[in-house]
Amino acid sequence: MSAHPLVPLSPPSEIGPFHIRPASEDDLPALVRLDTELFPDFAYPYFVLRQFLDLYQDRLLVLDDGSSLHGYALSALSADGRTSWILGLGVAERLRGRGLARRLMQETLRRLPADGVHEVWLTVEPANTAAITLYHSLGFTRQGARKDYFGPGHDRLLLALRH
Ligand SMILES: CC(C)(COP(=O)(O)OP(=O)(O)OC[C@H]1O[C@@H](n2cnc3c(N)ncnc32)[C@H](O)[C@@H]1OP(=O)(O)O)[C@@H](O)C(=O)NCCC(=O)NCCS
């Protein structure tokens, strides 16, 4: 499905095999659908995902079973190349709890430039226990809590992983 190298995963018994690979332009409609399903209140519009793909293709990773997308992770580098931000992470609801988000995050972190990136930052909703537990297990630590970070009523915790 893609010329990019594939990262094989242990598939759940009824679906798969899953691969993690950089997204391509052909993935956009499915990616938009998936993002809307994952983040009903904060889904990226099509044009934003389109431009993320233009900017960050190698860092827009999708979880693919060969016929559809079931998750994605998006990261971006700061202008000086020293800080990376996780801009999106999600796995389809029916496939959660199988270690797939952990694999997406591990692959995202593995692809960071070996020299130069000193910190990875992300924001997370304070009540999102699943995501917070995952990030802590990967070594992220809480850096602060910001009220209204994503607009009125949308507080976020800031977490960082330092090398
Ligand atoms: C958060 C999310 C990505 C986790 O995906 P997942 O594939 O179920 O996560 P994994 O199976 O890889 O779990 C990895 C770790 O996360 C933690 N975790 C996952 N689900 C959890 C839950 N319901 N409660 C507590 N911890 C949980 C555990 O530490 C788990 O490790 P373990 O299985 O060894 O205990 C998924 O719930 C999701 O897509 N949610 C909607 C979108 C979202 O909130 N994204 C994060 C935005 S910051």
Side-chain angles (χ1 to χ4, degrees):
M1 202 170 165
S2 157
H4 295 286
L6 299 176
V7 181
L9 299 175
S10 302
S13 53
E14 76 280 14
I15 316 181
F18 286 118
H19 296 100
I20 291 175
R21 60 170 175 79
S24 71
E25 192 167 346
D26 291 345
D27 292 319
L28 272 172
L31 192 55
V32 171
R33 276 196 301 277
L34 178 65
D35 191 54
T36 303
E37 188 186 306
L38 293 169
F39 302 103
D41 299 330
F42 284 95
Y44 292 121
Y46 189 106
F47 78 94
V48 171
L49 280 171
R50 158 83 253 181
Q51 300 248 262
F52 281 163
L53 185 69
D54 294 334
L55 280 169
Y56 311 123
Q57 188 179 17
D58 287 347
R59 299 190 176 93
L60 177 45
L61 300 178
V62 291
L63 179 71
D64 174 14
D65 73 348
S67 57
S68 32
L69 303 186
H70 303 283
Y72 85 96
L74 170 64
S75 61
L77 286 183
S78 62
D80 65 6
R82 296 171 65 84
T83 303
S84 176
W85 278 84
I86 307 297
L87 300 182
L89 171 73
V91 168
E93 194 165 4
R94 70 196 179 95
L95 294 174
R96 289 179 191 163
R98 300 168 186 263
L100 294 171
R102 182 185 297 285
R103 297 295 298 266
L104 278 164
M105 280 300 295
Q106 287 171 334
E107 182 59 18
T108 296
L109 298 174
R110 193 185 71 75
R111 285 170 178 255
L112 294 176
D115 52 347
V117 175
H118 295 277
E119 297 181 347
V120 183
W121 283 75
L122 58 84
T123 68
V124 60
E125 194 181 351
N128 193 342
T129 308
I132 293 168
T133 309
L134 166 62
Y135 297 137
H136 282 160
S137 77
L138 291 166
F140 284 82
T141 55
R142 180 174 157 156
Q143 305 298 314
R146 293 281 299 274
K147 190 167 168 46
D148 300 334
Y149 188 80
F150 280 154
H154 299 293
D155 306 343
R156 288 295 182 271
L157 303 181
L158 277 95
L159 273 59
L161 174 66
R162 295 197 159 95
H163 292 270

